[in-house]
């Protein structure tokens, strides 16, 4: 016969249970994306068409410790989106890393690509990547690294899944052999870096790898879905991993960090948040938010000095992506967000008819503002003074 359990034992058991079992935490993205703002609802009311994926990271500081809380909305590494220029971010970091491993050259070494007419430096090309998302700058660093080296270095650091396979916006984008770099050792002496032969990419097998109802091949409309199977693959998870390792290297094991010096990292951070006007681009076309979609992308006025956005955007084939660490030094606010969405109402690719300005960028800007306001209101009793 079972003994009756004393009531005080039951009370103690319930108390312990209540203390150790926290109620399920609400995903803040659920609140933000439920906003009545039409810039948000335009996407949320047609989620299937827009293929939205978002990862948001709250950053908690306690004394010298930092910990992250990640929240996802529809993030799926197996759901393909075209990463466009976001792939320039890891290539810029890996170029700095390779410079550390190559004798007699630095980021200020002058070089040119065989057959190219532009003489430049690694510093200049990295600056162009972040200031105005220059395709030619990415392609020059791609020749320096080679696809095999890019992918192997990322995987060795635990950054996956990822597949960088081609250059951007050139006829020979997928050529597996890189072009030689001609380096100036001084004003009159040059040397060359040999080309590399890389592995040809295999066709990706992912959800959404074919999209739309047609695409233009030259002037001819092909009435079938566009196949992204041989394109670059850089999903939300991998983008966020690269960003975290650059902004918070101390949070990772040495084997997972990028092998760059403090001087190189300081240069990289400064370059990532530099506005076009501060990088020498003074045309009216290069306003502050030219490549800063979150918070300011739908506005052309100056970004306040106390708000720094360390990011890399991408837009092509109707897909918009931004991966950013946002820091407000005045109000002591910081968070990370990576988001991607498709804006291609007619379902045709390569026709240059995409709703970037009408729908896509306004959504990302409002998403950034909603997250910022939420973080501004959130009590941060654990939040010490922010230092990068």
């Amino acid at each position: 016969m079972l003994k009756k359990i004393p009531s005080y034992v039951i009370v103690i058991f319930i108390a312990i249970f209540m203390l150790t079992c926290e109620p399920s935490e609400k995903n803040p993205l659920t609140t933000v994306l439920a906003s009545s703002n039409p810039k948000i609802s335009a996407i949320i009311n047609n989620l299937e068409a827009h293929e939205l994926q978002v990862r948001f990271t709250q950053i908690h500081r306690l004394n010298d410790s930092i910990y992250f809380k990640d929240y996802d909305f529809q993030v799926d590494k197996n759901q393909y989106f075209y990463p466009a220029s976001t792939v320039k971010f890891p290539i810029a970091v890996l170029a700095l890393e390779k410079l550390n491993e190559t004798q007699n050259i630095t980021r200020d070494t002058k070089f040119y690509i065989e057959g190219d007419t532009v003489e430049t430096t690694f510093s200049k090309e990295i600056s162009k990547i972040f200031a105005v998302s220059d395709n030619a700058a990415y392609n020059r660093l791609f020749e320096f690294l080679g696809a095999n080296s890019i992918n192997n270095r990322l995987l060795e650091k635990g950054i996956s899944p990822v597949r960088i396979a081609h250059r951007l916006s050139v006829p020979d984008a997928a050529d597996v052999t890189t072009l030689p770099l001609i380096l100036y050792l001084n004003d009159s002496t040059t040397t060359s870096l040999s080309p590399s032969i890389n592995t040809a990419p295999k066709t990706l097998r992912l959800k959404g790898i074919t999209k739309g109802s047609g695409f233009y091949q030259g002037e001819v409309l092909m009435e079938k879905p566009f196949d992204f199977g041989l394109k670059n693959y850089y999903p939300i998870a991998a983008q966020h991993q690269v960003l975290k390792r650059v902004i918070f290297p101390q949070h990772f094991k040495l084997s997972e960090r990028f092998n760059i010096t403090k001087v190189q990292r300081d240069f990289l951070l400064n370059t990532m948040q530099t506005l076009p006007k501060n990088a020498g681009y003074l045309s009216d076309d290069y306003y502050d938010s030219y490549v800063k979609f979150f918070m300011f992308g739908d506005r052309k006025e100056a970004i306040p000095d106390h708000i720094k956005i360390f990011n890399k955007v991408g837009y092509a084939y109707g897909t918009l992506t931004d991966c950013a660490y946002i820091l407000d030094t005045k109000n002591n606010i910081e968070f990370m967000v990576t988001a991607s969405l498709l804006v291609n109402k007619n379902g045709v690719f390569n026709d240059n008819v995409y709703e970037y300005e009408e729908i896509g960028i306004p959504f990302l800007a409002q998403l950034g503002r909603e997250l910022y306001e939420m973080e501004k209101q959130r009590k941060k009793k654990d939040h010490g003074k922010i230092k990068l």
Side-chain angles (χ1 to χ4, degrees):
M1 184 175 177
L2 294 175
K3 277 188 174 183
K4 184 178 179 181
I5 301 174
S7 59
Y8 73 90
V9 174
I10 295 174
V11 171
I12 293 172
F13 176 81
I14 292 173
I16 293 172
F17 180 82
M18 293 296 290
L19 287 170
T20 56
C21 296
E22 296 181 359
S24 58
E25 186 178 4
K26 187 174 182 181
N27 185 340
L29 286 174
T30 303
T31 301
V32 166
L33 294 174
S35 168
S36 60
N37 189 293
K39 294 179 180 181
I40 297 289
S41 59
I43 299 300
I44 299 304
N45 291 342
N46 196 5
L47 274 178
E48 185 176 356
H50 294 299
E51 301 183 5
L52 177 65
Q53 296 189 43
V54 185
R55 174 162 291 177
F56 164 64
T57 299
Q58 285 183 340
I59 300 164
H60 301 267
R61 293 175 183 261
L62 183 59
N63 298 323
D64 292 329
S65 298
I66 298 172
Y67 63 98
F68 307 116
K69 182 65 177 176
D70 292 336
Y71 299 93
D72 286 350
F73 181 82
Q74 295 196 151
V75 171
D76 183 354
K77 65 183 180 182
N78 296 312
Q79 178 66 45
Y80 183 81
F81 65 86
Y82 182 65
S85 291
T86 58
V87 298
K88 297 171 185 175
F89 182 15
I91 271 60
V93 188
L94 292 176
L96 291 173
E97 184 175 79
K98 185 174 178 179
L99 288 174
N100 276 342
E101 302 164 2
T102 309
Q103 290 186 341
N104 301 321
I105 61 172
T106 70
R107 60 185 172 89
D108 295 317
T109 297
K110 187 185 294 184
F111 76 94
Y112 65 92
I113 304 296
E114 186 177 273
D116 196 352
T117 59
V118 175
E119 292 184 354
T120 185
T121 67
F122 295 97
S123 290
K124 288 179 181 178
E125 299 310 288
I126 291 170
S127 177
K128 292 177 190 175
I129 279 176
F130 290 105
V132 294
S133 198
D134 189 278
N135 285 339
Y138 163 84
N139 291 340
R140 292 182 185 108
L141 298 185
F142 185 95
E143 305 293 354
F144 175 54
L145 291 162
N148 285 2
S149 175
I150 292 166
N151 294 310
N152 290 338
R153 285 172 183 266
L154 292 174
L155 291 174
E156 286 168 2
K157 291 170 174 55
I159 297 168
S160 69
V162 62
R163 197 276 299 279
I164 309 299
H166 60 82
R167 303 160 187 81
L168 298 175
S169 300
V170 289
D172 58 349
D175 193 334
V176 297
T177 303
T178 63
L179 294 170
L181 268 70
I182 313 301
L183 304 164
Y184 286 87
L185 299 181
N186 53 48
D187 290 341
S188 59
T189 306
T190 61
T191 188
S192 63
L193 293 182
S194 301
S196 62
I197 300 175
N198 299 274
T199 305
K202 295 180 180 178
T203 301
L204 296 167
R205 305 294 181 187
L206 297 167
K207 293 180 289 184
I209 201 66
T210 59
K211 298 182 187 295
S213 57
F215 62 94
Y216 275 91
Q217 189 168 297
E219 300 296 321
V220 180
L221 175 62
M222 312 298 289
E223 296 184 5
K224 60 181 179 179
F226 188 73
D227 190 346
F228 288 86
L230 294 176
K231 298 292 187 183
N232 290 331
Y233 170 49
Y234 186 38
I236 295 289
Q239 294 196 28
H240 224 66
Q241 289 169 38
V242 171
L243 182 66
K244 279 184 178 178
R245 282 161 172 77
V246 169
I247 303 297
F248 298 103
Q250 72 278 17
H251 190 77
F252 296 89
K253 297 183 293 185
L254 284 173
S255 61
E256 296 175 331
R257 301 179 193 178
F258 292 104
N259 180 28
I260 58 177
T261 66
K262 182 183 183 303
V263 171
Q264 287 177 320
R265 179 173 173 269
D266 289 344
F267 161 75
L268 181 63
L269 291 174
N270 181 62
T271 303
M272 288 177 69
Q273 59 89 29
T274 296
L275 302 176
K277 64 188 178 187
N278 297 325
Y281 295 90
L282 301 179
S283 164
D284 290 342
D285 293 334
Y286 297 117
Y287 42 91
D288 281 9
S289 63
Y290 180 71
V291 286
K292 307 288 184 190
F293 294 160
F294 290 128
M295 295 185 67
F296 302 100
D298 56 353
R299 304 171 181 176
K300 292 189 177 181
E301 61 263 30
I303 296 175
D305 291 340
H306 64 276
I307 296 182
K308 312 294 183 183
I309 302 177
F310 304 78
N311 77 311
K312 187 68 200 77
V313 303
Y315 55 102
Y317 295 115
T319 299
L320 282 158
T321 306
D322 198 349
C323 174
Y325 167 67
I326 297 173
L327 170 64
D328 179 344
T329 57
K330 179 180 177 181
N331 296 294
N332 219 33
I333 295 169
E334 61 176 337
F335 60 94
M336 285 184 274
V337 57
T338 304
S340 181
L341 72 156
L342 177 67
V343 284
N344 187 11
K345 186 176 181 180
N346 68 12
V348 177
F349 290 88
N350 278 341
D351 64 350
N352 291 321
V353 181
Y354 307 117
E355 296 74 43
Y356 294 140
E357 302 291 337
E358 301 89 342
I359 298 176
I361 292 176
F363 169 82
L364 292 174
Q366 188 61 31
L367 174 63
R369 290 191 287 266
E370 299 265 357
L371 290 171
Y372 173 85
E373 288 301 324
M374 181 183 66
E375 286 297 283
K376 195 173 183 179
Q377 297 301 319
R378 184 169 65 91
K379 292 181 179 179
K380 292 192 174 186
K381 294 179 180 178
D382 64 333
H383 209 157
K385 185 65 177 175
I386 297 172
K387 294 180 182 179
L388 286 183

